[in-house]
Structures are given as C-alpha cells and as structure tokens.
Amino acid sequence: MICLGIESTAHTFGIGIIDDSGKKYANERVLFSTKEGGLIPSKVADHHVEKFRDIINSALEKANLTLADINLISYSQSPGIGNCLRIGAAVARSLALLYNIPLIGVNHCIAHLEIGKLMSKAKDPVFLYASGANTQVIAYEGGKYRVFGETLDNGVGNFLDGFARYIGLGFPGGPKIYELSLKHKEKFEKLNKPVELIELPYVVKGMDVSFGGLSTNLKQKFDSKKDSFSKEALAFSLQETAFAMLVEVSERAMAHCNKSELLLGGGVACNIRLKEMCKIMAKERGAESYDLPIEVNIDNGLMIAWLGVLMHKAGGETKVEDADIKPYLRTDDVDVYW
Ligand code: AMP
Ligand code: MG
C-alpha cells in the first residue's frame, strides 16, 4: 500500500509518500517565510494554494510514481490554523474524488510522534513535542497518547519566533536565535571565561511550562536603556532557560510514567543545544534520548502519510463528506486504535 500524505497545518505545505513497510519514496515541502514580521494566516493560505501543484508534482516525480499508483490519501486534519488546514483538506478531497482513492484525516502532533518511532529505536517513549504552536510532553497510557505536561500559553517555537521578530529578525526565528547564542558562547570561550548567563524567569508548574513572563522580561531587557544586554547574550540565556524548563518537565514525565526513553520532535527539536541538554539528562538517569533527522522534525508530509498508513491498516478511513478540519483537536482526544 502506498500512501500520499498532505501537510498544511501552518507554514509548511508538504507532500510525503511512503508505503506500509515504512519505505520512503518522497518528502517534498515548501515553507512560507518572511524577512520581517510573522505569519498572517490568509497570506500563508494563499502561498499554499499557489504552491500545492508544484509540490505534488515534484513528490511524484521524486518517487517515480503517478497518482494511479497511490492507494491512500492522508491529510493533516488537526490541529492547526484553519485557513491553512482548509487548503490541505480541499486538495485531499479533490484527489480522493478524482482518482477514487480512500482518504484518511490524521492528527499532526501524533504524526510527529509516530514518524519518530518509525525512524528511531524508541519503542515506548516520552515524547517532547517542541514545535511552533505546540509544546507538549506526551506518553502512551491506556489507549491514548496522554498529555502529561504542556505550555500554559505560547508554544516554545512561537515564543522564540516572537522574540526574534521583536529584535528585528524574520521568520523562522528559532535558527536565528541559535546562531546568535553560538556567537555569544564563542566570544566567551575565546576569552577563556565562563559564558555570561543573564538570569531570566524560569516557570515550571508541575509538568507544565509557561513562556509569557519570560517573553515579556526578555523584551524589557532588550529595550532597557539602563542595562545594555546584547542580542547575543539574550539569545543564549533565553535558550538555556527555556530549554532547561523543557528538560525538567520531560524528566518529570519520564519518572512519573516509569519510561526510559525520551523522543524529541517538532521544529524546535532541530536545535542542537536542546538535543544536547536532553541527552545529558537522559544519560544521568540511565535512559536514552532519541532525536530525529531535520527532515521529519520540521513539518512534513511523510509523517502524515505514515500515520495514515498505520490508521488505515487498522481499519480507519474518512469519508469524503466527513473530511473536514478540526483546528482545535487535542492529542489526547484521539483514540489510538492502530
Ligand atoms: P514546527 O511548528 O514543528 O514546524 O516548527 C517550527 C518552529 O521551529 C518555528 O518556531 C521555528 O523557529 C522553530 N525552529 C526551527 N529550527 C529551529 C532551531 N534550529 N532551533 C530552534 N527553533 C527552531
Ligand atoms: Mg509540527
């Protein structure tokens, strides 16, 4: 069975093609980006409309397949930005009807987790899902992927992007913040001095985190005439603080669920420093921390295709007339029947 998966929850329009043995045929994507300013939903949707044909064609070309070879269409049905989700769902319904292919709608967050299990050695991990809009600590218990901890306000990526935008950097801001943090670290290492860390609000409540106070505090520090903090020092300290919060709640979830694997996913999980901090924590407790290739950490169609395969093999299908979008559906609302 060969499945074509369509990702369009937010900034990325992606098409992935995979078969039921987990063999990858293609994973093509296009990212909406800006030099300045953030995501405006209607503009992102226009971008997806403009690009979807090219991405489908280049994925099929890479795979050396035609739509006649596709046995299943899978699309990101939840959660995400309504304007963007609607484009992917419309493309999915059209392909399903035109080519008479079964259709399945899947949850984007769970897709990140399942592709992570496919591509790593993790069997039953605690999943730190650190992306733009979502930040959750998830683990499988009693038929569902339960959310043990999460952000009480912004996703960690949106928080990074928000601060980046504030200091005049474009979208996506996470990698730019990382570059600044490296400059700061290298400057102190060259001088053979301990790296300067600015004290910032650290907010962990049980297994939840919050970035609102940290965000406000960073902006105040950036604007402060009295203290002249450099962008580089703020970026470095921001990463150390925000990522330490994520590592702490992940460790607490691992202890609570008695699990010895951590799996990282989502766009922010591309961050080398976050991966390193998770590995240190895991090693200290005799556990393993798995991270994934960038190709599947960032939003992508391959993970949508793979979750479609898993669900369809277990009997799942979405009728075209039910193939709507569910922008607010949570990870723990989905029954894991596959
Ligand atoms: P996602 O929503 O999972 O596609 O992830 C997008 C988010 O990941 C955006 O907020 C990016 O700024 C962030 N991101 C991407 N690469 C990195 C990186 N190397 N470090 C930190 N954040 C990143
Ligand atoms: Mg994502």
Side-chain angles (χ1 to χ4, degrees), residues 11 22 51 55 71 99 132 149 168 202 239 304-305 316 320:
H11 42 66
K51 303 285 182 184
I55 300 297
N71 312 108
Y99 293 87
Y202 180 100
Q239 281 199 162
I304 303 301
V320 171

Side-chain angles (χ1 to χ4, degrees), residues 166-188:
Y166 195 78
I167 64 174
L169 306 171
F171 175 84
K176 292 170 182 153
I177 300 270
Y178 176 73
E179 293 304 323
L180 289 178
S181 80
L182 278 189
K183 277 194 194 152
H184 180 72
K185 191 164 158 258
E186 281 161 11
K187 182 176 125 191
F188 281 83

Side-chain angles (χ1 to χ4, degrees), residues 124-126 137-141 146-148 207 250-260 285:
D124 181 23
V126 165
V137 179
I138 300 166
Y140 182 80
E141 291 287 346
R146 311 274 170 187
V147 178
F148 285 90
M207 282 188 254
S250 302
E251 179 168 25
R252 192 159 296 132
M254 289 169 82
H256 178 78
C257 301
N258 201 15
K259 296 196 198 274
S260 58
R285 52 183 296 112

Side-chain angles (χ1 to χ4, degrees), residues 15 22 49 51 125 147 149 192 240 247 309:
I15 297 285
V49 169
K51 303 285 182 184
V147 178
N192 232 340
E240 294 301 304
V247 173
V309 166

